[in-house]
């Protein structure tokens, strides 16, 4: 695996997605179903584990790429001594099928091109049965089938499908790869040019509804398009990333599967979508959230499948060596069954935000929230695994307790401001009790800063959210000291680490990159505290961390200048949108739905 993580770009159809390298290779594509078995897995292995390469035959071409305007249509230009071609990659929005379209268009001269398709199902472990049906090439393995349609002559070679061809100025060669269940007939052929026009039009119309203004609108639109691409449209769920096991440290074991929907992302995503003018997507996400969390409040999970699936068993893929030798490769996520107290606050805040912007409340939704509050009344005092899903012992994490306060605060606001029914006097009392508990046990008595957990002196990036959820005003001395301490102790080249990963906290080997979402949290915290110049400087720095097409992974290594972790990461792009809204002077709190300027309860 030779490409850096940031060398990839995302294409998708709001059902699934693929990563396209700047060398013309598609190295990652998951099938559009819940278990998401990859059909191209060279990202985590070698080309023989699945890859679709389309590039000039001669090496050394000069490459430039971009998205076509405000769309998810990727254009990659290759300049060779003999001429120039453009490869256009996209996935049309087809609802019931998955098509991956690649078009090679001659710009000038004539260019010798090569196509090499290596399809491997089930994470590179299954070689399909390949046969010709008329002019089509079908590839079948178990429940899955692909059909390749092109006018370019193709041949079999070393368990791959290859083609050598030329493209001259004004000529176009198209390749359409379509997935379908193997027990069903192949889908009918499609017109690639027509699909391209429809796809461009659809994305441009969607992007035109963005209400974000100011100098950072373009970056915000790109992030919102990325969030839309990470949406599983049939249910409204938004996955954290389209990939698994891209490492937080090259060669390390901090490799997790992020192709699922995290509850805590709900509040952050809802605010981004609603504040940017996307009420329908916010409503769909709220409905996903209500369906996913329905049931016994004590069984609330941190993460669910795209349709709200609860069973996400974690297992390792031994035949894949992992990105740059970063093993193990994991499928599933055991964090689904951790106890993370903060998610109760995030659920309550997300639903509160939806009501505040006019998405009508539903009686069953409020009944569910009351049940969550009943459970939280006894559960808030328990230790938990915390926002970072540590796999070590449970602790009384300060941010988790703050979010328990948020849950009670939003419940009280629902009764006082919207006339919903609930034991508001009891909730007010408990809200004050939690606030007092956090201020007594979650503050380092020597430094006067908030701490990662009770009894600890360690810092944690999640503490930057304290003023943004309305727990304390952004100018409170404890908040200001915490911001300053995080800048001193947790920043590397101006970017924020989640916490000091010495292994003591999570039981894993130390070391990871700066966490990009937390770096955007610092932007918002600085802006809310009146330090707007600092905030703008940091935001501009963060924009340079994005790759050439504006995409962000989970983390960034300032020393090597490389992106790390799963890619592209919703959490990072949510942070960018919310920081842009804050710097543009948007009215609501930049992350969650509270009013950080109002006095905290208690």
């Amino acid at each position: 695996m030779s490409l850096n993580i940031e060398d990839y770009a995302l294409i998708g159809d709001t059902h699934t997605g693929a990563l396209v390298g700047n060398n013309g290779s598609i190295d990652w594509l998951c099938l559009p179903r819940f278990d998401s078995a990859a059909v191209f897995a060279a990202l985590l292995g070698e080309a023989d584990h699945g890859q679709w390469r389309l590039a000039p035959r001669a090496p050394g071409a000069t490459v430039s790429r971009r998205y076509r305007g405000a769309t998810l249509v990727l254009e990659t230009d290759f300049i060779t001594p003999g001429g120039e071609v453009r490869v256009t990659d996209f996935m049309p929005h087809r609802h019931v099928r998955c098509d991956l379209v690649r078009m090679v268009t001659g710009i000038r001269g004539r260019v010798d091109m090569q196509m090499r398709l290596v399809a491997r199902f089930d994470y590179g472990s299954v070689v399909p049965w390949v046969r010709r049906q008329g002019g089509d090439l079908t590839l079948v393995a178990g429940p899955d089938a692909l059909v390749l349609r092109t006018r370019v002559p193709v041949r079999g070679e070393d368990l791959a499908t290859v083609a050598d061809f030329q493209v001259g100025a004004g000529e176009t060669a198209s390749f359409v790869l379509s997935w379908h269940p193997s027990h069903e007939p192949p889908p009918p052929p499609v017109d690639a040019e027509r699909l391209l026009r429809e796809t461009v039009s659809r994305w441009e119309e969607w992007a035109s509804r963005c209400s974000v203004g100011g100098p950072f609108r373009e970056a915000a639109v790109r992030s919102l398009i990325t969030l839309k691409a990470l949406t599983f449209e049939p249910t409204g769920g938004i996955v954290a990333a389209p990939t698994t096991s891209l490492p937080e440290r090259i060669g390390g074991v901090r490799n997790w599967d992020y192709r699922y929907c995290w509850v805590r992302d709900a509040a952050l995503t809802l605010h981004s979508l609603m504040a940017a003018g996307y009420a329908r997507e916010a409503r769909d996400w709220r409905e996903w959230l209500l369906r996913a969390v329905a049931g016994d409040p004590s069984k609330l999970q941190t993460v669910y499948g795209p349709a709200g699936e609860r069973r996400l068993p974690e297992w390792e893929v031994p035949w894949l060596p992992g990105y740059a030798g970063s093993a193990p490769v994991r499928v599933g996520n055991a964090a689904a069954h951790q106890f993370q107290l903060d998610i109760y606050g995030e659920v309550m805040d997300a639903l509160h935000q939806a009501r505040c912007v006019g998405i009508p409340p539903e009686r069953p939704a409020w009944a569910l929230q009351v049940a969550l509050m009943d459970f939280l009344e006894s559960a808030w005092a328990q230790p938990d695994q915390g926002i970072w899903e540590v796999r070590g012992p449970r602790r009384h994490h300060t941010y988790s307790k703050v979010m328990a306060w948020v849950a009670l605060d939003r419940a009280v606001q629902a009764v006082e401001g919207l006339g919903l029914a609930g034991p508001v006097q009891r909730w007010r009392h408990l809200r004050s009790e939690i606030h007092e508990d956090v201020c007594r046990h979650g503050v380092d008595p020597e430094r006067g800063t908030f701490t990662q957990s009770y009894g600890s002196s360690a810092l944690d990036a999640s503490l930057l959210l304290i003023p943004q959820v309305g727990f304390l005003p952004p100018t409170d001395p404890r908040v200001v000291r915490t911001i300053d301490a995080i800048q001193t102790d947790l920043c590397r080249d101006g970017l924020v680490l989640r916490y000091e990963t010495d292994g003591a906290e999570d039981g894993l080997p130390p070391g990871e990159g700066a966490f990009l979402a937390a770096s955007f949290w610092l932007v918002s915290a600085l802006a809310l505290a009146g330090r707007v110049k600092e905030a703008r400087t940091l935001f501009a720095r963060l924009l340079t961390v994005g790759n050439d097409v504006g995409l962000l992974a989970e983390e960034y290594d300032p020393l090597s200048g490389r992106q790390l972790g799963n890619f592209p990461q919703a959490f990072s792009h949510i942070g960018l949108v919310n920081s842009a809204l804050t710097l543009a002077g948007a009215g609501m709190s930049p992350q969650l739905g509270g009013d950080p300027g109002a006095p905290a309860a208690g």
Side-chain angles (χ1 to χ4, degrees):
M1 185 66 251
S2 58
L3 294 182
N4 291 345
I5 291 171
E6 63 270 16
D7 290 335
Y8 288 97
L10 174 71
I11 58 175
D13 60 0
T14 68
H15 287 68
T16 187
L19 294 189
V20 186
N22 59 11
N23 62 352
S25 178
I26 296 178
D27 291 340
W28 183 256
L29 171 67
C30 286
L31 298 174
R33 49 183 169 81
F34 165 59
D35 54 5
S36 297
V39 65
F40 298 142
L43 182 71
L44 301 175
E46 304 296 336
D48 288 344
H49 290 111
Q51 180 185 67
W52 191 7
R53 182 80 183 274
L54 185 59
R57 282 183 57 85
T62 300
V63 181
S64 63
R65 63 178 180 172
R66 73 210 66 83
Y67 286 112
R68 182 182 292 190
T71 78
L72 208 64
V73 174
L74 181 69
E75 297 178 336
T76 305
D77 293 347
F78 294 92
I79 302 175
T80 73
E84 179 180 354
V85 297
R86 174 169 299 157
V87 177
T88 302
D89 292 310
F90 65 98
M91 297 180 72
H93 186 237
R94 303 276 287 166
H95 293 291
V96 295
R97 56 185 287 178
C98 172
D99 301 305
L100 206 167
V101 182
R102 313 199 74 181
M103 303 171 65
V104 187
T105 302
I107 306 299
R108 60 176 178 82
R110 294 195 70 81
V111 179
D112 292 321
M113 299 291 294
Q114 185 174 67
M115 188 277 295
R116 186 172 188 267
L117 171 64
V118 180
R120 297 292 184 267
F121 294 88
D122 196 15
Y123 302 101
S125 67
V126 178
V127 179
W129 174 42
V130 181
R131 60 193 174 98
R132 293 185 184 273
Q133 289 185 306
D136 301 338
L137 197 72
T138 63
L139 306 90
V140 177
D144 302 301
L146 298 172
V147 56
L148 176 67
R149 292 187 169 106
T150 180
R151 294 182 179 178
V152 175
V154 299
R155 67 185 186 276
E157 185 178 285
D158 298 328
L159 297 179
T161 299
V162 299
D164 297 300
F165 61 102
Q166 280 191 338
V167 175
E171 299 174 352
T172 296
S174 298
F175 302 81
V176 180
L177 188 68
S178 302
W179 170 86
H180 65 95
S182 60
H183 64 277
E184 297 180 0
V190 297
D191 181 338
E193 292 282 359
R194 178 179 61 81
L195 287 181
L196 176 60
R197 291 192 297 270
E198 291 176 355
T199 302
V200 169
S201 176
R202 173 179 177 267
W203 281 111
E204 287 180 339
E205 187 281 327
W206 189 87
S208 70
R209 305 197 326 252
C210 175
S211 60
V212 179
F216 305 120
R217 174 183 167 83
E218 183 177 349
V221 167
R222 176 52 51 196
S223 289
L224 286 162
I225 289 173
T226 304
L227 291 174
K228 178 65 173 177
L230 296 179
T231 300
F232 185 58
E233 187 167 283
T235 66
I238 301 176
V239 300
T243 57
T244 180
S245 302
L246 292 184
E248 296 168 10
R249 180 183 182 185
I250 301 296
V253 300
R254 295 174 181 267
N255 318 317
W256 315 109
D257 192 348
Y258 278 9
R259 296 170 297 167
Y260 305 111
C261 304
W262 265 255
V263 167
R264 76 168 45 85
D265 293 6
L268 306 175
T269 307
L270 272 171
H271 175 72
S272 297
L273 293 172
M274 291 184 294
Y278 293 100
R280 191 191 76 183
E281 285 78 8
R283 184 170 58 251
D284 291 344
W285 185 215
R286 185 198 68 170
E287 294 306 309
W288 176 91
L289 180 65
L290 288 172
R291 292 191 302 269
V293 306
D296 184 347
S298 68
K299 300 294 194 297
L300 181 65
Q301 294 186 184
T302 60
V303 56
Y304 297 86
E309 298 92 345
R310 289 174 173 262
R311 294 186 181 274
L312 314 177
E314 184 177 300
W315 57 282
E316 297 180 2
V317 185
W319 58 85
L320 289 179
Y323 177 86
S326 306
V329 171
R330 294 183 174 94
V331 173
N333 202 304
H337 301 293
Q338 289 186 349
F339 176 56
Q340 297 176 23
L341 180 65
D342 64 288
I343 62 174
Y344 291 88
E346 281 133 3
V347 168
M348 292 294 293
D349 186 77
L351 298 177
H352 177 72
Q353 285 187 54
R355 289 190 295 266
C356 287
V357 299
I359 297 177
E362 296 179 353
R363 188 178 300 275
W366 178 243
L368 171 64
Q369 292 175 264
V370 172
L372 292 177
M373 291 300 94
D374 289 343
F375 173 74
L376 193 63
E377 287 187 53
S378 60
W380 78 269
Q382 299 177 23
D384 75 332
Q385 265 94 15
I387 183 175
W388 307 125
E389 301 177 345
V390 296
R391 300 198 174 192
R394 292 184 180 184
R395 290 177 170 82
H396 292 281
H397 290 96
T398 300
Y399 175 74
S400 297
K401 306 299 187 188
V402 168
M403 292 310 295
W405 176 91
V406 167
L408 271 299
D409 181 70
R410 305 316 187 245
V412 169
Q413 290 190 46
V415 174
E416 293 178 340
L418 299 173
L420 297 175
V424 67
Q425 200 62 30
R426 195 170 76 227
W427 289 346
R428 286 195 200 102
H429 175 77
L430 183 56
R431 179 179 63 175
S432 297
E433 181 182 345
I434 295 174
H435 195 278
E436 183 181 349
D437 187 77
V438 171
C439 293
R440 179 186 299 118
H441 300 293
V443 177
D444 184 336
E446 294 185 4
R447 301 180 70 182
T449 61
F450 285 97
T451 61
Q452 183 180 60
S453 59
Y454 288 6
S456 167
S457 60
L459 293 166
D460 189 294
S462 63
L463 303 171
L464 292 167
L465 294 171
I466 286 176
Q468 299 174 42
V469 300
F471 185 82
L472 284 173
T475 55
D476 183 277
R478 292 160 294 186
V479 171
V480 173
R481 286 192 292 265
T482 301
I483 293 172
D484 292 340
I486 286 174
Q487 286 183 296
T488 300
D489 295 355
L490 288 187
C491 281
R492 302 293 183 270
D493 193 25
L495 306 182
V496 182
L497 303 177
R498 295 186 301 168
Y499 53 89
E500 288 289 354
T501 55
D502 59 4
E505 170 69 16
D506 54 20
L508 293 171
E512 64 176 23
F515 195 72
L516 294 178
S519 301
F520 286 112
W521 296 345
L522 179 57
V523 171
S524 295
L526 289 168
L528 288 172
R531 296 155 66 172
V532 178
K533 184 177 180 180
E534 281 184 76
R536 287 182 173 271
T537 299
L538 176 55
F539 190 83
R541 165 80 173 96
L542 284 164
L543 292 184
T544 68
V545 169
N547 71 359
D548 57 327
V549 290
L551 299 183
L552 296 164
E554 181 182 17
E555 299 183 357
Y556 179 78
D557 179 10
L559 293 178
S560 66
R562 293 183 61 176
Q563 295 198 33
L564 297 171
N566 284 297
F567 175 89
Q569 174 78 1
F571 221 18
S572 301
H573 286 280
I574 292 165
L576 188 155
V577 173
N578 288 337
S579 292
L581 288 165
T582 304
L583 293 173
M588 291 176 63
S589 168
Q591 294 290 339
L592 303 178
D595 177 5

